Amino acid sequence: MKLVLTAAMAGISLAALIPTNVYAQASTQAGDPAETEGAPDAEIIVTGTSRSRVALDTPLAVSQLGEDALARTGVTSQADILNTIPSIKADGGGGEVAANIFIRGLPSGGQYQFTPLMYDGVTVLSSFGLNSSAYDVYARNDLGISRLEFVRGGVSNLFGPGSVAGLINYISKSGGDQLEGTVQLEVAQRDRYRGDVALSGPLGNNFYFGMSGFYRIDKGPIRTNLDTKGGQFRGNLEYRFADGSGNVKLLGQYINDRVQFYLPIPLDGPTRSRLAGNDGNLVNSVQNDFAANLGFNTPGGGAFASDIGEGVSTRGGMLGLTFEKDFGDSGWGLNGRVKYSDYKHKFGLWSDGDGVINVPETLQSFLTNRSLGTLANAQFTFAGGGAVPANFLLFANRITDRDRPVHDFTAEVNLTKKLQTGSVDHAFTLGGFYGNASAGDRNVTTTFLAEFNNQPRLVNLTITNPVTSAQTVVSRNGLLNAGAGYVNNRHEAERYAGYIADQMKIGDRVNFDIGFRVEHMRGAISRERTATAVTDAATPNLSTALRDVIWGNGGFLTGDVSVTEWALAAGALYKLTDDMSVYANASRGFFFPELRSAAFRPLPAGTAADASLSPGTQSYTAEIIKQAEVGFKMSKPGLTMTVSGFYTKLDNRRQVLFVNDGQGGLIERVNLVGAESYGAEGTIDVRLVQNLRFNGNITLQKSKFTAFDTTPANIGKRVERQPELLYNAGLYYDDGAFDLSLFTNYTGPNFTASNNLIELDGWNIANLDAGYKVPVATGSLRVSVNVFNLFNTDAVTEGSPRQDSNQVANGAFFVGRPVLPRRITGRLTYNF
């Protein structure tokens, strides 16, 4: 009932903005939101599709964002862009990268697990789940992108890397017959400075180029003493055949960037609002530059130094080639793409507690919770000197240094044939895809003790035995547990796929698509075994946690897995009139489980702790997804809209969660689950009056678990982090000189974990973008301001993923991640 009432209120709000004379308005003009934000009359180009069609003629759901929409929504992160698309929930509270992307009704931890991220039809990484880094750590958006396409369901998603749940494809600008460019300077609150450039044009002799890049420095939307700094360069060089039959394009990218990632923080338990720290200021983050203090000895006489200050760092790039060629009037064509990428990537992860207590503690409660006696026998001091006041709160926390180099090779080739048989116009595609990706994943977890404050200071602790006067150093330079956890994995995935499809136009009114894909995946797994070793026997009085570390012992477990699966998709569309269509599609598809979820069989009794062996792997079978959708599309002058209903069922899902092991370490827990969902979606874009438009979309869904091997009691409960209501609504004014956009994104209430014990309230994030354009020389200069989170909404986007189902619902503290605070950005943009 609450969902129905909330949806009704949203619908009333949207309807109130639409005047009664909407149907009499003028037709869409270039650059209007209808053209760039998902209008059904916009042309789509999807990887592998041999027939480009307007969305009104396509029997599947299509969303598009043009460069203007990307500019006004993508100020903070990729999540803010994707949040405007129906069926996607994107959590961007962590900052610029590692957005948690959820697709309607599907259980996951986020991180693009069901949606490959592509640029120009080339997937950023051909296989997900080699580690837990999201696709967006390897690439950034810039001014060289012309539009975003998100296509879900249907035959198009069988091509290339494949994903019947959806493909996210950014399409770059290509050169034209005139030199064009954009130069932009950006300044934002809290010391953010960014410069962008994008150029494209002719080189002569049928060669064209496009290039773009940026560099920025940023103290962060939240001050942590950890900076964001770096940039990226992308480019393409295209040769177009003189007869117009196709092109060959060389693609390249180089990135050298580091950004900070914000984790959940302790909040007030009853209100889930920010808490005051020891200095009386509200705590926005418990991160600081601790790297110099948290090193320790390792087995064999080495030393470990944390790189946590680097945040999420990526250095490397990709080189790719795409081609298209039509062979005259024969109807035959050939297209394809090939790419090689190599990235040195590290992900400095701040946890949301020590994995044992997980919340702030008084000095005495810290001692009591660890059986360390009373304050009379304890000496708390700051690492920089000075005693810790007795009334201060402490927060024990962890960092995990994750070193994750990755390389990837992908190739795709498609043979196409256009053929007329009677009244049926066929467009056949026969193609194949190959991907080979490998990634390292070396994780070192360290626990530290600090005060509860913004940019906190580290805390030392020494305990004196009241009977023997013997001392024990519990925390030294803030280090509480050296080498609390260690992982050293390497995963390689090799994929082979073949597919065939036919996109048919039957007479003037009917389109019918059908396609089939078969794919084989082979995975190779290598995981180092661990042991606890004494690494500092020389320093007197150290606690066991400081003296010993968990580290790799040189023994490796290795194994191979393989699986073959098939997908089938079909869709039909009937044009009721020239501007109205009805459609339906259905598919049976698959996902290959993340390789990091594959488990080894039990080792034989008596196996040496450091032995290297291949014990074989436990079952590894594909996850099966079945989908169906029916819908209606309309595209009239001044009005475009879609309405659809959907059903999704996913079986044999290996849900991988990065959770506490209860002893201060971290494990990747695997649940074997099933889920189903159903719901409805709608989009509308309408001209209200001249130069003013309204654009909105809404997603309603019901989802539940149908299987849950580790906790059968969760069967029937709602899928965690999946709201029943999502909507976007915005007003967009542009008279050619002055433009103003005011838009909001609503995320409905959702549960933090699969046990459904903790529900987060829904929230709205409103944004404003306004600019004034004046002619300058041969171009135009736009002076603009963008305000993210206009009303400074203080909402919680997630609970503690590390605690998952063990998080307490009604305690004095609640660990959660708030949305990022309001930030005002000014821009100077020169287009020529």
Side-chain angles (χ1 to χ4, degrees):
M1 178 60 69
K2 183 166 66 173
L3 172 63
V4 174
L5 290 175
T6 307
M9 292 300 295
I12 292 170
S13 301
L14 300 183
L17 293 172
I18 304 175
T20 58
N21 65 341
V22 59
Y23 293 100
Q25 302 305 320
S27 62
T28 303
Q29 298 175 353
D32 283 341
E35 182 186 39
T36 58
E37 297 186 14
D41 58 349
E43 184 178 84
I44 63 166
I45 302 174
V46 182
T47 302
T49 301
S50 57
R51 184 197 302 275
S52 296
R53 297 181 295 204
V54 297
L56 185 67
D57 296 341
T58 305
L60 46 82
V62 181
S63 297
Q64 294 192 65
L65 295 180
E67 59 181 304
D68 290 342
L70 294 174
R72 63 175 168 259
T73 58
V75 174
T76 302
S77 72
Q78 179 123 219
D80 299 320
I81 296 172
L82 298 177
N83 248 337
T84 66
I85 295 175
S87 82
I88 290 182
K89 171 182 178 277
D91 291 343
E96 286 190 35
V97 300
N100 282 321
I101 307 300
F102 300 89
I103 300 298
R104 59 191 186 194
L106 298 181
S108 76
Q111 302 164 314
Y112 303 85
Q113 292 182 15
F114 297 107
T115 50
L117 178 63
M118 301 190 297
Y119 288 82
D120 301 308
V122 177
T123 181
V124 169
L125 191 63
S126 62
S127 293
F128 188 83
L130 307 182
N131 53 46
S132 61
S133 287
Y135 288 119
D136 61 6
V137 303
Y138 306 111
R140 309 282 184 268
N141 291 356
D142 56 32
L143 297 181
I145 295 173
S146 64
R147 70 183 187 278
L148 162 67
E149 293 177 348
F150 178 64
V151 182
R152 49 201 180 274
V155 171
S156 297
N157 290 3
L158 299 181
F159 303 124
S163 171
V164 293
L167 299 173
I168 300 169
N169 189 20
Y170 286 97
I171 298 172
S172 300
K173 297 176 183 178
S174 295
D177 292 331
Q178 301 293 326
L179 179 66
E180 297 179 347
T182 303
V183 178
Q184 180 172 280
L185 298 177
E186 179 180 293
V187 179
Q189 285 179 296
R190 294 179 283 278
D191 299 318
R192 175 180 170 89
Y193 305 94
R194 173 166 169 152
D196 277 83
V197 63
L199 294 172
S200 62
L203 292 173
N205 297 320
N206 297 322
F207 280 96
Y208 299 84
F209 79 97
M211 56 166 286
S212 56
F214 74 88
Y215 187 83
R216 59 91 178 77
I217 55 175
D218 189 355
K219 297 294 184 182
I222 301 172
R223 291 293 184 131
T224 61
N225 281 332
L226 300 166
D227 295 345
T228 287
K229 179 175 159 181
Q232 175 187 261
F233 175 83
R234 297 189 312 122
N236 62 77
L237 177 64
E238 181 180 7
Y239 176 77
R240 297 173 188 165
F241 299 119
D243 59 2
S245 61
N247 65 80
V248 178
K249 185 182 293 187
L250 181 68
L251 309 172
Q253 176 228 15
Y254 174 76
I255 184 171
N256 189 349
D257 194 32
R258 74 175 194 225
V259 300
Q260 297 305 320
F261 185 67
Y262 308 106
L263 267 290
I265 58 173
L267 305 170
D268 179 72
T271 67
R272 297 176 188 167
S273 58
R274 286 177 175 83
L275 290 164
N278 295 317
D279 59 4
N281 295 318
L282 295 181
V283 175
N284 295 301
S285 169
V286 292
Q287 297 170 209
N288 204 348
D289 189 2
F290 294 147
N293 295 72
L294 301 182
F296 51 86
N297 296 334
T298 60
F304 174 79
S306 173
D307 289 326
I308 194 68
E310 296 296 307
V312 182
S313 64
T314 305
R315 180 169 52 86
M318 62 81 68
L319 191 65
L321 183 74
T322 69
F323 60 90
E324 298 179 32
K325 176 65 176 177
D326 293 328
F327 299 102
D329 297 329
S330 68
W332 290 99
L334 192 68
N335 68 72
R337 47 200 51 82
V338 61
K339 178 215 72 171
Y340 178 79
S341 60
D342 186 88
Y343 298 102
K344 306 302 181 188
H345 164 56
K346 295 184 178 181
F347 198 121
L349 178 71
W350 296 82
S351 292
D352 43 24
D354 64 354
V356 180
I357 306 301
N358 300 308
V359 296
E361 304 166 86
T362 64
L363 272 61
Q364 182 57 64
S365 63
F366 180 88
L367 298 171
T368 301
N369 288 334
R370 292 157 182 82
S371 302
L372 294 175
T374 66
L375 275 174
N377 303 311
Q379 183 179 14
F380 287 95
T381 60
F382 290 112
V388 178
N391 64 342
F392 267 35
L393 287 175
L394 304 176
F395 185 53
N397 202 359
R398 291 163 297 175
I399 57 174
T400 301
D401 286 85
R402 307 195 287 191
D403 189 5
R404 294 174 164 178
V406 60
H407 78 261
D408 186 37
F409 175 80
T410 63
E412 176 188 355
V413 62
N414 300 298
L415 180 65
T416 64
K417 172 66 173 178
K418 295 180 181 179
L419 179 67
Q420 187 82 27
T421 59
S423 62
V424 182
D425 182 10
H426 298 269
F428 292 102
T429 300
L430 175 65
F433 174 83
Y434 174 80
N436 189 317
S438 64
D441 191 11
R442 182 175 182 265
N443 303 335
V444 178
T445 299
T446 308
T447 307
F448 64 90
L449 182 62
E451 63 176 335
F452 183 61
N453 252 15
N454 290 305
Q455 302 167 45
R457 293 169 289 180
L458 292 171
V459 171
N460 299 325
L461 171 61
T462 300
I463 299 295
T464 301
N465 188 306
V467 177
T468 65
S469 297
Q471 291 189 326
T472 302
V473 179
V474 176
S475 174
R476 182 177 64 164
N477 291 325
L479 183 63
L480 194 60
N481 190 346
Y486 179 93
V487 170
N488 184 19
N489 297 338
R490 184 170 183 82
H491 298 122
E492 179 182 356
E494 189 173 32
R495 300 172 56 192
Y496 305 85
Y499 42 82
I500 185 170
D502 186 10
Q503 296 173 276
M504 290 169 271
K505 181 175 174 58
I506 307 172
D508 295 329
R509 294 295 181 188
V510 177
N511 289 333
F512 182 72
D513 296 351
I514 188 167
F516 176 80
R517 178 187 181 102
V518 63
E519 182 169 354
H520 177 77
M521 196 275 279
R522 182 192 67 83
I525 305 165
S526 174
R527 298 174 185 163
E528 188 175 10
R529 305 178 70 189
T530 61
T532 300
V534 175
T535 59
D536 192 346
T539 304
N541 305 325
L542 290 182
S543 69
T544 301
L546 292 178
R547 184 197 65 193
D548 302 348
V549 301
I550 301 172
W551 209 254
N553 63 13
F556 285 85
L557 300 181
T558 57
D560 294 290
V561 296
S562 64
V563 61
T564 301
E565 264 300 342
W566 58 272
L568 177 68
L573 177 139
Y574 179 75
K575 297 194 71 172
L576 300 170
T577 67
D578 289 343
D579 46 29
M580 289 188 290
S581 302
V582 292
Y583 72 95
N585 64 65
S587 61
R588 188 267 194 197
F590 60 88
F591 300 102
F592 291 138
E594 300 178 53
L595 277 180
R596 64 191 180 113
S597 73
F600 290 109
R601 292 178 182 149
L603 300 180
T607 300
D610 61 350
S612 294
L613 67 163
S614 299
T617 57
Q618 297 179 8
S619 63
Y620 183 84
T621 56
E623 305 162 359
I624 306 302
I625 178 172
K626 298 175 182 178
Q627 297 186 106
E629 183 174 25
V630 295
F632 167 80
K633 303 180 182 185
M634 181 173 66
S635 179
K636 291 179 175 289
L639 173 66
T640 60
M641 64 176 294
T642 67
V643 179
S644 65
F646 63 86
Y647 173 80
T648 303
K649 190 174 192 302
L650 179 65
D651 293 317
N652 200 39
R653 167 67 179 166
R654 289 177 182 259
Q655 183 191 57
V656 185
L657 302 175
F658 197 54
V659 298
N660 296 328
D661 64 2
Q663 307 298 318
L666 296 164
I667 59 172
E668 291 184 324
R669 188 176 66 209
V670 180
N671 302 315
L672 189 63
V673 305
E676 66 177 358
S677 65
Y678 62 91
E681 290 182 348
T683 69
I684 187 170
D685 192 281
V686 57
R687 184 184 301 279
L688 304 178
V689 295
Q690 187 173 5
N691 303 323
L692 178 65
R693 305 192 67 88
F694 170 80
N695 182 283
N697 60 66
I698 186 169
T699 300
L700 299 164
Q701 68 166 335
K702 286 281 190 178
S703 65
K704 67 177 182 180
F705 285 108
T706 58
F708 209 111
D709 69 331
T710 58
T711 314
N714 289 342
I715 296 174
K717 296 185 183 295
R718 277 174 50 186
V719 175
E720 74 266 33
R721 304 180 74 173
Q722 288 281 5
E724 294 188 333
L725 173 63
L726 295 165
Y727 73 75
N728 294 273
L731 290 169
Y732 305 90
Y733 177 85
D734 189 349
D735 62 13
F738 174 71
D739 63 270
L740 174 67
S741 302
L742 179 62
F743 51 98
T744 186
N745 168 261
Y746 176 76
T747 301
N750 60 98
F751 290 104
T752 63
S754 53
N755 58 7
N756 288 189
L757 293 181
I758 302 176
E759 186 177 34
L760 301 178
D761 295 333
W763 69 91
N764 258 306
I765 299 295
N767 300 281
L768 179 143
D769 191 89
Y772 188 75
K773 192 181 299 180
V774 296
V776 175
T778 59
S780 65
L781 178 68
R782 181 175 182 259
V783 182
S784 63
V785 62
N786 183 285
V787 185
F788 169 79
N789 196 358
L790 179 64
F791 303 112
N792 207 24
T793 298
D794 188 14
V796 181
T797 67
E798 67 177 20
S800 170
R802 258 37 81 196
Q803 297 181 55
D804 191 43
S805 296
N806 293 321
Q807 187 163 14
V808 177
N810 300 307
F813 301 101
F814 179 82
V815 177
R817 180 155 62 185
V819 299
L820 295 177
R822 177 172 54 217
R823 200 175 201 189
I824 302 173
T825 300
R827 288 170 168 169
L828 289 175
T829 308
Y830 180 64
N831 288 286
F832 59 91

